[in-house]
Amino acid sequence: MVSWPGPPQGEHPSSDAGRSPSGLGPVRQARTDVLDIAYHDVGPAHGEPVILLHGWPFSPVGAYAEVAPVLARHGYRCYVPYSRGHGRTRFLRADTPRSGQQAALGADLVAFMDALRIPRALFAGYDWGGRAADVAAALWPERCTGLVSGNGYLIQNLAVAQQPLAPALEEGYWYFFYFLTERGREGLERDREGLARVVWRRNSPEWRFTEAEFARTAPVWTNPDYVDVVIHSYRHRLAAAPGDPRYAALERRLLDQPKIAVPTVTLDGQADGVNPPTDGRGHAAHFAGPWTHHVVPGAGHNLPQERPGPFTDAILEAAALG
């Protein structure tokens, strides 16, 4: 049984802190210069920090409900934040652009660490969370002790955003193009759950998630900024929307496709319906430090929720590589 220590310095419980929807404990809040970030934490107060980052359209609770308690038993302190536009994470100002661009996600991770006075941590994520982890590991390597990244190197190369991929790959990205249209925005606004259900099924075709699992995730999509952040994320990555000027300098650095030098484990799901599995060699040049790659049998796009054991093992492996 995991014991729950009190909030570390710099955090405060949210209004629902007495409710524990999962083994991750209550929702807490950490304030940065841009966001009030909702998160869970679990594990010994002085354990080595691990930050677990969720993808879209998934829940951090669903993704890491099994991973974090196991890591806690290994002595790690796990932090599980909600991405901007998700759950109880809120923008502090009404006039802040509701950006979902990659530089913003990476900067949010480092700002979250600053708010909780975490000097260094191991980053682990997939999809949006993997991209945030990759960006932060590349641009702030002094803050990262190791990395686990689903689908390899996820820093977007915006210089080639308009170059087509093979048709079989483009098919999996159907929602990227849907979100380029106002019809797509309206579709997401009208039926957030319906669109998420389609993505879950198509991106993880072998995952037999339950209706209870899906229902537990649904509140994550009720955030008032959810639609704006999601739409901007996909339009920006296809060079169809400008970025927030706050992150312009970071985006310029990301155009160089910076190498990641921290110890890294990359994972592909063998049954990923959007990013087919590879042997990892296509990403090898992006990793300048110790690096290994694995294909996870039976896993789709939501790696830690579908196969928590291999995802946990990858975190322990990345820690050992350091």
Side-chain angles (χ1 to χ4, degrees):
M1 189 74 174
V2 175
S3 61
W4 310 112
Q9 188 174 7
E11 71 175 277
H12 58 279
S14 72
S15 59
D16 67 348
R19 293 159 49 194
S20 183
S22 73
L24 302 186
V27 179
R28 306 187 190 280
Q29 301 290 146
R31 182 164 293 201
T32 72
D33 58 338
V34 175
L35 299 170
D36 195 18
I37 298 177
Y39 71 100
H40 302 274
D41 59 25
V42 55
H46 299 293
E48 288 295 316
V50 175
I51 302 179
L52 303 170
L53 300 149
H54 72 96
W56 177 87
F58 305 106
S59 161
V61 172
Y64 296 113
E66 295 187 44
V67 173
V70 173
L71 291 173
R73 289 195 290 273
H74 280 273
Y76 290 93
R77 176 73 166 187
C78 299
Y79 298 87
V80 190
Y82 291 72
S83 179
R84 54 172 54 202
H86 293 73
R88 293 182 177 272
T89 292
R90 295 290 188 271
F91 287 86
L92 298 181
R93 294 175 55 89
D95 60 355
T96 300
R98 271 39 178 178
S99 170
Q101 68 194 92
Q102 61 179 351
L105 301 179
D108 288 348
L109 170 52
V110 175
F112 175 74
M113 295 174 69
D114 289 344
L116 295 185
R117 301 185 183 180
I118 302 170
R120 303 178 76 221
L122 190 150
F123 307 155
Y126 66 103
D127 195 77
W128 284 31
R131 181 160 296 109
D134 286 13
V135 168
L139 299 186
W140 294 276
E142 71 280 2
R143 307 299 297 273
C144 182
T145 60
L147 173 69
V148 173
S149 180
N151 298 123
Y153 183 86
L154 294 180
I155 297 176
Q156 298 157 356
N157 188 352
L158 298 184
V160 297
Q162 295 299 318
Q163 306 241 343
L165 301 173
L169 292 175
E170 297 280 33
E171 178 188 21
Y173 297 152
W174 66 273
Y175 49 93
F176 292 22
F177 311 112
Y178 183 52
F179 290 156
L180 287 179
T181 69
E182 288 307 300
R183 177 180 174 131
R185 173 188 283 276
E186 181 63 22
L188 181 62
E189 185 68 74
R190 285 189 187 185
D191 194 357
R192 304 176 190 201
E193 292 188 24
L195 200 145
R197 185 182 295 274
V198 171
V199 172
W200 282 32
R201 286 177 172 165
R202 289 180 64 97
N203 289 12
S204 298
E206 295 185 11
W207 181 29
R208 301 296 179 257
F209 60 87
T210 67
E211 286 303 308
E213 286 178 295
F214 189 79
R216 281 194 294 270
T217 301
V220 172
W221 310 317
T222 63
N223 185 296
D225 300 307
Y226 176 77
V227 172
D228 286 343
V229 170
V230 171
I231 293 297
H232 183 266
S233 176
Y234 289 100
R235 291 184 180 182
H236 183 269
R237 73 181 293 166
L238 293 179
D244 181 345
R246 176 192 304 267
Y247 306 109
L250 296 179
E251 289 289 357
R252 284 193 294 271
R253 293 175 63 188
L254 296 175
L255 284 173
D256 293 331
Q257 295 284 272
K259 292 182 184 295
I260 293 173
V262 304
T264 299
V265 176
T266 55
L267 301 173
D268 283 341
Q270 178 270 326
D272 193 319
V274 64
N275 292 120
T278 74
D279 60 10
R281 285 184 293 180
H283 298 280
H286 294 294
F287 298 105
W291 166 70
T292 60
H293 177 77
H294 305 290
V295 175
V296 182
H301 200 62
N302 187 8
L303 277 160
Q305 187 163 354
E306 297 175 57
R307 293 293 185 270
F311 198 89
T312 305
D313 289 345
I315 293 171
L316 298 175
E317 182 180 5
L321 287 174

